[in-house]
Amino acid sequence: MQDFLPVTRKEMKERGWEQADFVYVTGDAYVDHPSFGTAIISRLLESRGYKVGIISQPDWRKKESIQVFGEPRLGFLVSAGNMDSMVNHYTVSKKHRQKDSYSPGGKMGLRPDRAVIVYSNLIRQTYKKTPIILGGIEASLRRLAHYDYWENKVKHSVLLDSGADLISYGMGEHSIVEIADSLESGIPVEEITYIPGTVFKCKDLDRVYEPILLPSFDEVKEDKKTYAESFAVQYENTDPFTARPLAEFYGSRGYIVQNPPARPLTQTEMDDVYALPYTERIHPMYEKLGGIPALEEIKFSLTSNRGCFGGCNFCALTFHQGRILQTRSHESLIREAERMTKDPEFKGYIHDVGGPTADFRQTSCQKQLTKGVCKNKQCLFPEPCKNLTVDHSDYVSLLRKLRKLSGVKKVFIRSGVRFDYVVADRDKTFLRELVEHHVSGQLRVAPEHVSDQVLKYMGKPSHSVYEKFLHEYDAANKKTGKQQYAVPYFMSSHPGCTMKEAVKLAEYVRDLGFTPEQVQDFYPTPSTLSTCMYYTGIHPLTGEKVYVPRNPHEKAIQRALMQYKNPENRELVLEGLKMAGRMDLVGYGPKCLIRPIREHSKNTSSESRSDKNRRSSGKTKTADRKNRSGGKQANVRTQTNTRKNTAEKKKTRGGRR
């Protein structure tokens, strides 16, 4: 148990501690693995000499649940966990999910909705003056006024609703150490206003250097155009080299101030973070409860990078991890892989080597290392920037080293390959080695849509780029003698997607010859550019008006169109085709999506009563013979037919080669 940080007062006493310096309250189960934010931040503080106790998934209905260690000497750290609690609990249609992968046995209901607010208020009821610092993705993406999809309104900065003192936003290694050192030196938490990567509250702006004054909360709440303008300013100030402090006014409650983001980790710093003494296991208290499903999914995967310059509008990475890429060294990754091979459960397969985008292993251009990313330009959209450095050689070298390790049979890439970056690379070595060594029959890629209009609002390249990737992928497979498929991810109901575009996507799915088992409906999560478009109907960077499918019934139709073969979707598909003026797709031709319904009259003139009687009599005699032969034979035949049908479905499943 000494390998884990203490989770009870008894364990704290066994370590010889009279008081913890920090108590970390988290909505996740305690997993001591660097894929979990709780583990990284707590181990990092431990490495700096601070004593950290862990309270995982406290019962928010009982104040005693956060009093496990008593009052910490320096403060409480509060996080909802690796996922936003609302996304964790609800589907895009706002229905309750059945499984929580970050809880023991996948059990749902062990954390509250809006966990950081609930936990923080629970703490404040008992510890009136103890500093509370929020962190993790839930707090990070709600750091300023934001549209809340679940309540369909603009909400305050989470700092106000929680009663906390500070937010450590983004990837918090730098900021949390500075916060800890400041508190240790005796600086009152209300005077910690200068640390990059933090958000604080104040009565006036006397201590804020050259802030950008955003529209007030009342203004963004009342006017959608003002909300979009405020979001655009925030979007342009997400870079640590160029961003300025942002201040948002809340009337008598003062200001919420966001300092510029923390600097990205250097490779040495990132290696140090992943070299901390993690047990890389779940806490033993969960073993009898079925383990933690989320760990099983990533246990034998390697995180090689952070950040993403892909710039997809529906992704929160720009606001959370940033666009500047950060990587671990080959040596760091190989050491972790070697430890992995010694695990008794390791079967020889490394499941993934990647991050937000697997094949990004360097900044998009050298300028970013000293001057940051461009404020008004993207690296890959709408076309690759002329200054973009396209080079897979470092990633290829890393993968080759991992393949050669003793005990490693196969190294897969599953976290997503950026296909437009692959197409932009004139050297096709990576693509060749990808299909030869790192794909298991199917490569999952994310074109998201086929309509260039929708792709524009998504911040994705035109569909022709994806078609070019498929051509190159097919050619690479033929050269290596493999028969492998590209399985595309598609999204329905994104801003800009009319019913016409939804039908166009359905036609593309038809031509592929497969039906997606799961369809991702656009989910308006906090602090993405697409969510701003969803709420306001305005593209915040251009001021352009955008069509938004908000009606739940329309969203259901768009989703059903991608699964038009499902009989349960027939009426929705028919309605969608009528709305799009595409009734030509109802019929018997090879391009039709659904068949028409034949209307049968009770009295059919073309069929005589005697013909009906003869046919009915024949059916009765056949049925009698089947019944006399016994039900067992019929059941065997049914099972055989079912197996045949299943086999045929498997043959046709899998997407485009």
Side-chain angles (χ1 to χ4, degrees), residues 471-484:
H471 176 75
E472 293 183 358
Y473 179 70
D474 286 348
N477 273 293
K478 287 177 182 177
K479 284 184 180 179
T480 55
K482 291 180 178 283
Q483 189 175 19
Q484 300 181 126

Side-chain angles (χ1 to χ4, degrees), residues 92-111:
V92 65
S93 57
K94 301 182 183 179
K95 295 179 180 178
H96 282 277
R97 298 189 193 274
Q98 301 302 310
K99 180 181 179 181
D100 181 351
S101 294
Y102 293 90
S103 293
K107 185 177 179 180
M108 184 57 77
L110 297 183
R111 79 184 86 207

Side-chain angles (χ1 to χ4, degrees), residues 315-387:
C315 178
L317 278 168
T318 296
F319 271 68
H320 190 57
Q321 290 192 4
R323 289 167 57 192
I324 297 178
L325 209 77
Q326 302 148 72
T327 59
R328 293 168 63 186
S329 69
H330 291 197
E331 293 74 20
S332 172
L333 289 158
I334 289 168
R335 284 194 296 270
E336 185 177 347
E338 288 173 339
R339 291 197 304 274
M340 204 178 279
T341 62
K342 295 177 174 60
D343 191 304
E345 296 181 3
F346 184 70
K347 306 300 182 185
Y349 301 100
I350 295 176
H351 296 157
D352 189 27
V353 184
T357 302
D359 54 327
F360 287 175
R361 281 284 301 172
Q362 60 192 355
T363 54
S364 61
C365 68
Q366 291 300 308
K367 179 182 79 72
Q368 290 183 1
L369 296 174
T370 55
K371 297 181 180 178
V373 298
C374 298
K375 279 192 173 187
N376 302 310
K377 290 172 59 180
Q378 292 288 343
C379 303
L380 283 165
F381 174 80
E383 296 176 346
C385 174
K386 63 180 182 180
N387 296 320

Side-chain angles (χ1 to χ4, degrees), residues 292-311:
I292 309 301
L295 179 63
E296 300 307 313
E297 295 171 10
I298 52 85
K299 185 176 182 181
F300 299 121
S301 297
L302 298 170
T303 300
S304 74
N305 63 50
R306 275 188 193 171
C308 181
F309 52 80

Side-chain angles (χ1 to χ4, degrees), residues 113-164:
D113 287 355
R114 310 187 190 283
V116 290
I117 293 176
V118 174
Y119 291 153
S120 187
N121 279 292
L122 188 67
I123 293 166
R124 192 57 80 209
Q125 290 175 30
T126 302
Y127 304 106
K128 305 296 184 183
K129 300 295 183 182
T130 310
I132 300 175
I133 297 94
L134 307 182
I137 194 164
E138 179 167 302
S140 182
L141 299 183
R142 290 171 166 79
R143 56 189 185 256
L144 293 170
H146 57 281
Y147 170 70
D148 184 271
Y149 171 67
W150 301 274
E151 291 188 14
N152 191 30
K153 68 178 185 180
V154 177
K155 292 180 72 71
H156 298 145
S157 163
V158 73
L159 200 56
L160 289 183
D161 291 340
S162 66

